[in-house]
Amino acid sequence: MRRTPARRPTMKDIARRAGVSESAVSFALNGRPGVSEATRARVRRVAEELGWRPSTAARALSGEGAATVGLVLARPARTLGVESFFLRLVSGVQEVLAARHLGLLFQVVEDVDAECVVHRRWWAERRVDGLLVVDPRADDPRPALLDELALPAVVIGAFDDGGAVHGAISNLWADDTAAMTSIVDHLHGLGHRRITHIAGLPELAHTRRRITCLRAEAERRGLPDVTSVTTDYSDAQGADATRRVLAGARPPSAIVYDNDVMAVAGLAVAAERGVSVPGELSIVAWDDSVLCRSTHPALTALTRDTVAFGREAAGLLTSLLDGAPPRRVRAPTPRLMPRASTGSPRQR
């Protein structure tokens, strides 16, 4: 038996039941003058009873907004299915958006140039009211583009812009330098002198800050055998990088990984090569997760409330949409959680 598709209630339906004209319904639902408060209340009550909701397309055409915010991720798509950070971040974002009846439009692209194309297209099509922007880069073209488009946005991660002022862009960031320093303090205190950092994408501003901080801390402490190796954040590249450094003439006694997935892959490589953790190799993960807590040994990791971080980012964006001025907000620095994967080194 063929079913008749459900029909959405219209302004004409509301007008018929409320006993007013369609123009009166439009005035009432859009908060415009031209109807009495009693009529406005009656129209809104009838709209609620019928389950009426404004058409996103109609709102965009009338200039009232799309009730949607956008997030474009310029990273290799193959790395997203295994990295938990973005899932937890989006979970926090979605909590705030859902409470405001806002949708999230998400797209993955190959690079930041493609991301800029998507931003411009969404603006031209009035698809989004604002944007969440992740992974700031050195010489990042996106803030200038967002200024040009006058799109409210929140950049998640520290700017490398010398403190430039942007008209409608808020910024939420955590101190990567302080976090890396806490890792080096921990490892150096345990007696480690050969430390390798298996980092993420080299073009990202936070990757550069972590590498720079590690070098500075190594120089300050007189550690000659401290290096960084960049990857695409995937378990495959994390494992390959681990095999290369462990096969070197002077392998590290400690490895710091820029995410949980690579750290777990590195732990597997150590087991594959017969390298004991933490006896011969200590391992630290940048982002804590259930993966870090479920391995044997459990992984020392930087921990923070990533869901709360996402809520804060979405809250900054909704504030911009409500007309508040842009802000720069420093989130709490991730805290190092020592576990069984780090200890004092012994010679291999």
Side-chain angles (χ1 to χ4, degrees), residues 82-85 88 198 231 233-243 246 255-273 275 277 281-302 339 341:
V82 292
E83 189 172 3
S84 63
F85 172 82
R88 287 177 284 145
I198 297 185
T231 69
Y233 283 110
S234 70
D235 56 331
Q237 288 202 9
D240 287 345
T242 304
R243 291 188 185 96
L246 291 182
I255 301 179
V256 180
Y257 294 87
D258 259 4
N259 69 7
D260 55 341
V261 173
M262 293 196 297
V264 172
L267 180 64
V269 169
E272 155 194 308
R273 297 179 62 87
V275 175
V277 176
L281 177 69
S282 284
I283 290 177
V284 179
W286 193 273
D287 281 311
D288 196 11
S289 72
V290 66
L291 285 177
C292 297
R293 299 187 293 273
S294 302
T295 59
H296 182 73
L299 298 181
T300 294
L302 286 171
R339 297 194 181 104
S341 69

Side-chain angles (χ1 to χ4, degrees), residues 318-334:
T318 56
S319 292
L320 288 175
L321 298 178
D322 290 339
R327 300 167 56 207
R328 287 197 171 185
V329 176
R330 177 175 173 173
T333 301

Side-chain angles (χ1 to χ4, degrees), residues 118 123 125 131 236 247 255 257 280 286 289:
V118 172
W123 168 80
E125 296 173 353
L131 292 166
I255 301 179
Y257 294 87
E280 298 171 289
W286 193 273
S289 72

Side-chain angles (χ1 to χ4, degrees), residues 1 17 28-29 58 64 79 84 110 116 136 166 175 185 197 217 236 248 270 284 298 300 310 313 337:
M1 179 178 173
R17 181 176 293 192
L29 294 177
E64 295 174 8
T79 68
S84 63
E110 285 300 313
C116 288
H166 300 282
D175 192 342
D185 282 343
H197 170 212
E217 289 297 314
V284 179
T300 294
M337 178 65 69

Side-chain angles (χ1 to χ4, degrees), residues 43-324:
V43 167
R44 288 180 173 174
R45 185 176 65 253
V46 169
E48 185 66 27
E49 290 170 355
L50 292 175
W52 178 87
R53 294 291 180 270
S55 161
T56 300
R59 286 169 59 87
L61 287 172
S62 65
E64 295 174 8
T68 301
V69 301
L71 170 60
V72 182
L73 192 58
R75 284 197 184 189
R78 65 183 179 279
T79 68
L80 299 183
V82 292
E83 189 172 3
S84 63
F85 172 82
F86 279 107
L87 294 177
R88 287 177 284 145
L89 181 76
V90 170
S91 177
V93 166
Q94 189 59 36
E95 283 185 30
V96 173
L97 298 185
R100 291 284 298 263
H101 304 291
L102 293 170
L104 179 64
L105 184 58
F106 177 71
Q107 187 165 338
V108 179
V109 296
E110 285 300 313
D111 54 40
V112 73
D113 290 334
E115 179 178 344
C116 288
V117 170
V118 172
H119 288 169
R120 191 175 289 277
R121 186 178 74 247
W122 283 353
W123 168 80
E125 296 173 353
R126 300 180 182 179
R127 296 283 298 280
V128 298
D129 298 323
L131 292 166
L132 295 166
V133 178
V134 297
D135 292 340
R137 290 155 163 78
D139 302 317
D140 199 321
R142 294 171 296 177
L145 173 63
L146 297 173
D147 283 344
E148 174 195 338
L149 302 179
L151 263 176
V154 174
V155 174
I156 302 172
F159 279 123
D160 273 354
D161 62 355
V165 176
H166 300 282
I169 302 177
S170 287
N171 183 215
L172 177 65
W173 60 283
D175 192 342
D176 289 293
T177 298
M180 178 60 86
T181 299
S182 72
I183 293 173
V184 179
D185 282 343
H186 177 65
L187 294 175
H188 186 265
L190 290 171
H192 293 278
R193 302 297 181 263
R194 300 192 309 278
I195 302 170
T196 293
H197 170 212
I198 297 185
L201 295 164
E203 65 268 24
L204 301 187
H206 67 251
T207 301
R208 298 186 181 196
R209 278 193 300 274
R210 295 172 190 180
I211 291 172
T212 300
C213 177
L214 179 60
R215 288 174 180 167
E217 289 297 314
E219 184 175 348
R220 184 169 72 85
R221 300 165 191 274
L223 306 179
D225 293 330
V226 173
T227 59
S228 294
V229 179
T230 57
T231 69
D232 67 355
Y233 283 110
S234 70
D235 56 331
Q237 288 202 9
D240 287 345
T242 304
R243 291 188 185 96
R244 289 198 306 273
V245 300
L246 291 182
R250 289 178 59 80
S253 65
I255 301 179
V256 180
Y257 294 87
D258 259 4
N259 69 7
D260 55 341
V261 173
M262 293 196 297
V264 172
L267 180 64
V269 169
E272 155 194 308
R273 297 179 62 87
V275 175
S276 68
V277 176
E280 298 171 289
L281 177 69
S282 284
I283 290 177
V284 179
W286 193 273
D287 281 311
D288 196 11
S289 72
V290 66
L291 285 177
C292 297
R293 299 187 293 273
S294 302
T295 59
H296 182 73
L299 298 181
T300 294
L302 286 171
T303 184
R304 62 176 163 189
D305 189 340
T306 306
V307 174
F309 194 59
R311 285 196 297 265
E312 180 78 17
L316 285 171
L317 184 54
T318 56
S319 292
L320 288 175
L321 298 178
D322 290 339

